[in-house]
Amino acid sequence: MTRPFSALRSPPLAGSVAVVAVGVAVNTGLDSPYRLLPALLLTAVGVAGVANGARDYTVDRLRLATKRWWALAFVAFLPYGLATAPENESAAAVGDAFADPIAGFVLESVAGAAVCCAVAITVLYGLATYGIHPGRPSPEERILVDGGEE
């Protein structure tokens, strides 16, 4: 049985996205040569949690989830983009609200996490489109089973 898509109501999914955001924050915020390994580890664990949460999705639900994750990534990136690279005076005025270094740090972490999760769901959707789906028989196994029934 499939679960309805609810990004905000699923504590494991929210926790996984938070771990990805912490991984992005570690990579951005620490000024140490040893930041790469913890950041990569946290990001990988969080993305694996997001992918694990979508393992039972059908191809149609993965397509819908892909669209939603990319919409979320776009919406999460807008304030970060306005805060860091305003092109005109009106964008600079909006960006001044997020000019605080802590706010910029948080915005970058959230935007980076949303993009990483969107990429993970997109990869799952791409693989599922070609018949490679986690927890299901591989295409080769399906061919062998179909060939044995004839």
Side-chain angles (χ1 to χ4, degrees), residues 11-65:
L13 181 61
S16 296
V17 174
V19 170
V20 175
V22 169
V24 173
V26 165
N27 190 41
T28 303
L30 293 180
D31 197 21
S32 168
Y34 304 111
R35 71 180 182 211
L36 181 61
L37 187 60
L40 187 59
L41 181 66
L42 286 169
T43 304
V45 166
V47 167
V50 170
N52 189 32
R55 74 171 180 251
D56 294 331
Y57 287 4
T58 62
V59 177
D60 292 333
R61 285 194 60 212
L62 281 172
R63 181 174 28 86
L64 179 63

Side-chain angles (χ1 to χ4, degrees), residues 31-126:
D31 197 21
S32 168
Y34 304 111
R35 71 180 182 211
L36 181 61
L37 187 60
L40 187 59
L41 181 66
L42 286 169
T43 304
V45 166
V47 167
V50 170
N52 189 32
R55 74 171 180 251
D56 294 331
Y57 287 4
T58 62
V59 177
D60 292 333
R61 285 194 60 212
L62 281 172
R63 181 174 28 86
L64 179 63
T66 300
K67 290 178 183 178
R68 288 179 177 178
W69 273 108
W70 281 110
L72 177 69
F74 178 75
V75 169
F77 185 77
L78 281 178
Y80 172 69
L82 286 173
T84 57
E87 279 292 318
N88 56 28
E89 291 178 22
S90 62
V94 172
D96 285 341
F98 303 112
D100 185 35
I102 301 296
F105 180 69
V106 169
L107 289 172
E108 183 174 357
S109 300
V110 170
V115 169
C116 288
C117 294
V119 168
I121 296 296
T122 302
V123 168
L124 281 179
Y125 171 63

